[in-house]
Amino acid sequence: MSSLNQSLFERLSTLLDPLDPAELHGLLCGLLCADRTLTVDGWLARAAELLDDPDLAESTRDVLSKFFEYGKTQLDDPDCAVTPLLPDDDTPLDQRTEALGRWSQGLLYGLGVSGIAQRTELSAESQEFLRDAADIAQADFDRVEATEADETAYVELVEYLRVGLLLLQHDLDRPSARINPDPEG
């Protein structure tokens, strides 16, 4: 993970305790995938609900606003630079795996509250990705020491989530995947 991500992760961990930065980033990615018109004010309202704090402190609003711009920039990047915000690679694998699960939970929650269930014609690949993300949200690592194979599997899961997010974003941006106003049709 880049040092930019690490400092952002640490700053958010401190400012938003007990909310987890990985889960928050997943939530933001889910919301932005489902609603490309989401504004910073809409994001702040959703974050205030999650934090159960309708009057966010100015410093929290500032960090969340910058976080919104960070996430939006990632998803809008033509080079597909979006990457789940996770702890540094020096963090023990069990903690990184737990954060990966929380990122997936946040993603699924963001998609869920955005009404993705009302979307039509998601590709089979996107549907499979959503099922896999639900499985990853339950991820657990209970070994005392990580092996090189464990580290490789973790890196592959992060990349799978990154690519799956881009695929889902592409599917949701198609006109045929818009919210269907007629649930019968």
Side-chain angles (χ1 to χ4, degrees):
M1 176 187 344
S2 74
S3 60
L4 172 64
N5 277 0
Q6 182 58 21
S7 65
L8 180 60
F9 191 92
E10 289 174 357
R11 185 170 179 208
L12 286 170
S13 293
T14 303
L15 288 174
L16 301 176
D17 187 44
L19 195 60
D20 180 83
E23 186 174 5
L24 189 66
H25 187 251
L27 170 67
L28 179 58
C29 289
L31 292 171
L32 286 170
C33 272
D35 180 5
R36 301 298 291 172
T37 64
L38 181 69
T39 64
V40 70
D41 289 333
W43 161 245
L44 290 172
R46 181 67 67 188
E49 288 173 18
L50 284 174
L51 292 168
D52 196 24
D53 182 3
D55 301 316
L56 295 173
E58 189 60 36
S59 62
T60 303
R61 291 180 66 81
D62 181 53
V63 169
L64 288 172
S65 294
K66 289 177 182 170
F67 190 63
F68 175 81
E69 292 305 322
Y70 167 80
K72 189 161 180 47
T73 300
Q74 277 190 314
L75 283 170
D76 289 343
D77 187 331
D79 294 328
C80 305
V82 65
T83 301
L85 181 62
L86 300 166
D88 184 281
D89 290 342
D90 293 334
T91 303
L93 186 58
D94 63 330
Q95 293 174 25
R96 288 182 283 144
T97 301
E98 187 177 309
L100 191 64
R102 287 192 306 267
W103 186 90
S104 296
Q105 289 171 357
L107 174 71
L108 294 170
Y109 181 73
L111 292 168
V113 298
S114 296
I116 195 172
Q118 298 170 351
R119 305 278 174 134
T120 59
E121 298 184 28
L122 284 180
S123 69
E125 292 86 3
S126 284
Q127 291 175 26
E128 180 181 359
F129 169 70
L130 291 175
R131 286 188 298 273
D132 291 343
D135 289 341
I136 294 169
Q138 305 302 315
D140 189 16
F141 185 81
D142 57 5
R143 293 190 196 164
V144 174
E145 193 158 322
T147 66
E148 191 170 321
D150 295 330
E151 291 287 345
T152 300
Y154 172 82
V155 169
E156 289 173 357
L157 275 177
V158 172
E159 180 64 10
Y160 177 75
L161 288 173
R162 188 188 77 74
V163 171
L165 179 63
L166 294 171
L167 174 67
L168 183 63
Q169 179 183 5
H170 173 74
D171 273 5
L172 292 172
D173 281 345
R174 292 186 331 210
S176 62
R178 302 285 188 251
I179 292 178
N180 184 353
D182 178 12
E184 300 296 318

